[in-house]
Amino acid sequence: MSADVVVLDYGSGNVRSAVRALERVGASVTLTDDPVRALECDGLFVPGVGNFHACMAGLAAAHGPRIIDRRLSGGRAVLGVCVGMQVLFDGSTEPSGSPLEGLGEWPGTVERLPADIVPHMGWSEVEVADGSSLFAGVEQERFYFVHSYAVQQWTLVPTGAFARVAPRVTWARHGAKFVAAVENGPLSATQFHPEKSGDAGAQLLENWVRSL
């Protein structure tokens, strides 16, 4: 039976490409803002297009923070993409009329890339984390990015007995090194758009769907 995936519809822009990409790799996909469906599905896909402030406002209106928190408390899979990844951190310096706090699932601040050309738009190589299951089979491939902000430092490094479950962090570079993807138990995220990354992105989505 195919994995049941919900793409969370919270007003984050055109998400039809994500729906189609997930369907192509064998998932049964529903685009909805229904909290019950978002809680019950095998995998929750959290898209993100636009700016941090708008995505956080849309998530709050759709009960996204509660849904994501409850899923992770139960060990149920969540995949955030682009700004859908950024909102998982503590906050962002992206300009707005109010403080930009994120969901705080990971420590870190989303900051503007210190590059001559911003946004970072196009295909880039990534430095895949050792032991990655998300990137299995596409470790040497390029992925498609469209963003001006990113997390440029990773500070969550478990020690002692927790070292064996340390998050797997994949990096890329545009002006500075930045976090391109994270795999942390049931919570995964990519700064790039796998649904726009051709065969490599399709393989990554298939790897995630198969894990559900």
Side-chain angles (χ1 to χ4, degrees):
M1 188 169 66
S2 59
D4 176 24
V5 173
V6 162
V7 174
L8 189 61
D9 186 9
Y10 66 97
S12 133
N14 180 16
V15 292
R16 297 293 176 181
S17 59
V19 172
R20 290 192 296 268
L22 288 161
E23 288 175 338
R24 282 197 296 269
V25 299
S28 175
V29 187
T30 304
L31 175 63
T32 183
D33 62 356
D34 179 6
V36 175
R37 285 288 294 117
L39 285 169
E40 291 180 343
C41 62
D42 297 322
L44 179 66
F45 184 101
V46 181
V49 176
N51 65 65
F52 190 101
H53 185 76
C55 283
M56 279 302 302
L59 274 175
H63 309 288
R66 180 178 65 86
I67 291 167
I68 292 170
D69 186 63
R70 286 184 61 183
R71 285 190 64 86
L72 296 178
S73 295
R76 311 206 72 188
V78 176
L79 175 63
V81 166
C82 198
V83 186
M85 171 180 173
Q86 295 178 7
V87 297
L88 298 170
F89 288 88
D90 287 332
S92 174
T93 62
E94 190 167 359
S96 76
S98 60
L100 293 174
E101 293 187 358
L103 301 182
E105 297 294 344
W106 296 315
T109 301
V110 181
E111 299 176 296
R112 186 175 173 84
L113 291 168
D116 293 335
I117 299 176
V118 176
H120 172 212
M121 184 180 297
W123 297 82
S124 292
E125 296 177 346
V126 296
E127 301 171 21
V128 176
D130 291 341
S132 169
S133 57
L134 199 59
F135 287 87
V138 289
E139 294 89 347
Q140 307 302 319
E141 300 296 332
R142 293 172 178 258
F143 295 86
Y144 191 79
F145 292 82
V146 183
H147 65 120
S148 299
Y149 289 76
V151 171
Q152 296 161 44
Q153 296 183 43
W154 181 264
T155 60
L156 179 58
V157 183
T159 59
F162 293 100
R164 63 185 178 83
V165 294
R168 293 186 172 95
V169 183
T170 290
W171 297 85
R173 182 175 291 277
H174 185 75
K177 198 172 181 180
F178 65 87
V179 176
V182 182
E183 299 163 68
N184 185 198
L187 181 59
S188 298
T190 68
Q191 179 61 66
F192 55 84
H193 287 273
E195 75 279 11
K196 297 180 181 179
S197 295
D199 291 342
Q203 182 62 63
L204 185 143
L205 289 175
E206 184 174 349
N207 290 340
W208 181 68
V209 167
R210 285 181 174 177
S211 74
L212 302 176

